[in-house]
Amino acid sequence: MTGYENKEALIDEIRKTYRLFDQEFENVPEANRNIRLDEVDRTPQEMLAYQIGWLTLVMSWEEDELAGKQVITPTPDYKWNQLGMLYQQFYQHYANDSLEELRALFRDKIETWCGWVNGLSDEELFVPGIRRWTVTSANWPMWKWIHINSVAPFRSFRTKIRKWKRNI
C-alpha cells in the first residue's frame, strides 16, 4: 500500500538516499558552490539549502501542531503557488554557510528527521488525517509527506548535482 513495509524500511530508505546524495558533494570545490549552470536549475549551495529548508519546515509543522498551534502550510508568508519565493528564502538563509557547514547541518537534520520518524506510531505514519497539517493541501498519510520531502528530492537532486559536476 505504501511502498514501505514499516517505519524501519522508510528510515532505511531516507538514510540510503541521503548518503548517496551527500557523497556527491565530496569533490565539489568550495569555490564552486555558487556557480550556476544553464544545464542545472540550482547551484550546489542551493541544493543543500533546499533540502535543509524543507526538512526544517516539515518538522516545524509537526512541532507546532503538537504544541497546539495552528499550522499554515507551507508557511504563513507563502502559499503553495509561491514556492519559488520560499526557496529563495532557504537560499538566502544559508547563503553564508560553506559546503562543509551545510553538509554538517544536513547530516544533523537527517539524524533528527530519522529520530522523529522512528518515534511515530504506525497509525501516525500510515493513516491519513492523524495530523491536521497532513490534510491541509492533500489528504496524505504522514509517510508520504516524509517521503516527498526526503527520499524523493534526495534522488532527484542527486541527479542534478551529478549533472552539475559533469558540466562544470
Side-chain angles (χ1 to χ4, degrees):
M1 164 165 60
T2 66
Y4 298 106
E5 297 170 12
N6 51 46
K7 70 178 161 186
E8 290 78 16
L10 175 58
I11 292 168
D12 287 347
E13 190 68 10
I14 293 166
R15 288 186 190 283
K16 176 185 162 196
T17 55
Y18 156 74
R19 277 191 306 273
L20 290 170
F21 177 59
D22 180 65
Q23 288 170 357
E24 295 295 337
F25 291 88
E26 288 177 3
N27 298 318
V28 175
E30 179 64 29
N32 294 354
R33 74 184 176 103
N34 287 313
I35 293 178
R36 184 174 310 282
L37 302 176
D38 290 340
E39 299 84 2
V40 182
D41 65 346
R42 289 178 176 89
T43 69
Q45 180 271 336
E46 290 171 342
M47 291 181 207
L48 290 169
Y50 176 98
Q51 306 304 326
I52 296 164
W54 271 112
L55 293 173
T56 302
L57 184 58
V58 172
M59 288 184 61
S60 77
W61 299 340
E62 176 75 350
E63 292 165 2
D64 286 350
E65 182 163 332
L66 293 177
K69 298 177 184 174
Q70 180 185 8
V71 177
I72 299 170
T73 61
T75 74
D77 298 326
Y78 300 104
K79 297 181 185 332
W80 286 106
N81 64 353
Q82 299 174 311
L83 292 179
M85 292 187 294
L86 177 61
Y87 303 159
Q88 291 301 317
Q89 182 180 333
F90 294 162
Y91 306 154
Q92 290 170 5
H93 184 79
Y94 299 104
N96 295 321
D97 293 334
S98 69
L99 287 178
E100 182 179 325
E101 291 167 329
L102 289 168
R103 289 180 70 201
L105 183 55
F106 189 25
R107 182 179 56 250
D108 292 346
K109 289 288 180 190
I110 287 297
E111 289 307 310
T112 302
W113 183 264
C114 289
W116 165 55
V117 173
N118 192 49
L120 295 168
S121 69
D122 285 347
E123 182 182 26
E124 290 168 315
L125 271 173
F126 299 112
V127 176
I130 300 298
R131 295 287 195 277
R132 287 186 310 270
W133 65 261
T134 66
V135 297
T136 57
S137 64
N139 191 19
W140 291 339
M142 194 182 301
W143 78 265
K144 189 164 186 172
W145 283 98
I146 291 167
H147 175 87
I148 66 164
N149 287 290
S150 57
V151 174
F154 299 170
R155 284 183 182 146
S156 64
F157 277 68
R158 182 173 182 231
T159 301
K160 288 178 188 284
I161 189 61
R162 293 177 98 186
K163 186 174 186 178
W164 183 91
K165 289 185 335 185
R166 278 192 311 273
N167 288 286
I168 191 71

